[in-house]
Amino acid sequence: MSTDTLDQTADDIKSSTAAAAEKGQKAFNDAIAMAQDKIAETARVAQKALREGADNLRTQSKVYRDNASEQFDEAQRYIVDRVKERPVTAALTGLGVGLLLG
């Protein structure tokens, strides 16, 4: 083989290697861009799911809060009615509970 042939072969190998490296770099950059897009999309989906979950929780807790408020009002009316019916018994009961707690 002549030196010209060897030089030509070396040049061909260099250009092939450079092209392969450039192609690999482009594929790597494309993969990174695709991964960034997927991560951004996943973050948007997760944010939407969390927002909907918080809204659902807020709605459900309102129902429970309203129900508890109604039950508390009903219990308060019951106690007031019983105290009005029997004020002496209620006063003695309150005194007894106070002594027990004290």
Side-chain angles (χ1 to χ4, degrees), residues 42-86:
T42 302
R44 282 190 294 274
V45 169
Q47 184 179 20
K48 181 180 177 186
L50 287 173
R51 189 175 297 123
E52 288 173 357
D55 290 343
N56 288 339
L57 183 61
R58 190 176 301 115
T59 302
Q60 289 175 354
S61 67
K62 184 180 184 304
V63 171
Y64 292 129
R65 185 182 68 233
D66 292 345
N67 189 18
S69 178
E70 288 174 19
Q71 288 180 353
F72 180 76
D73 290 342
E74 185 179 322
Q76 186 178 10
R77 280 190 302 274
Y78 176 81
I79 291 170
V80 168
D81 289 344
R82 295 305 158 257
V83 168
K84 284 181 182 179
E85 286 177 8
R86 297 190 178 128

Side-chain angles (χ1 to χ4, degrees), residues 19-37:
E22 186 176 317
K23 187 175 181 180
Q25 183 66 42
K26 184 181 180 321
F28 181 73
N29 290 340
D30 291 345
I32 288 175
M34 188 183 300
Q36 287 174 334
D37 290 343

Side-chain angles (χ1 to χ4, degrees), residues 1-9:
M1 272 196 159
S2 70
T3 57
D4 289 338
T5 306
L6 288 176
D7 287 342
Q8 181 61 38
T9 303

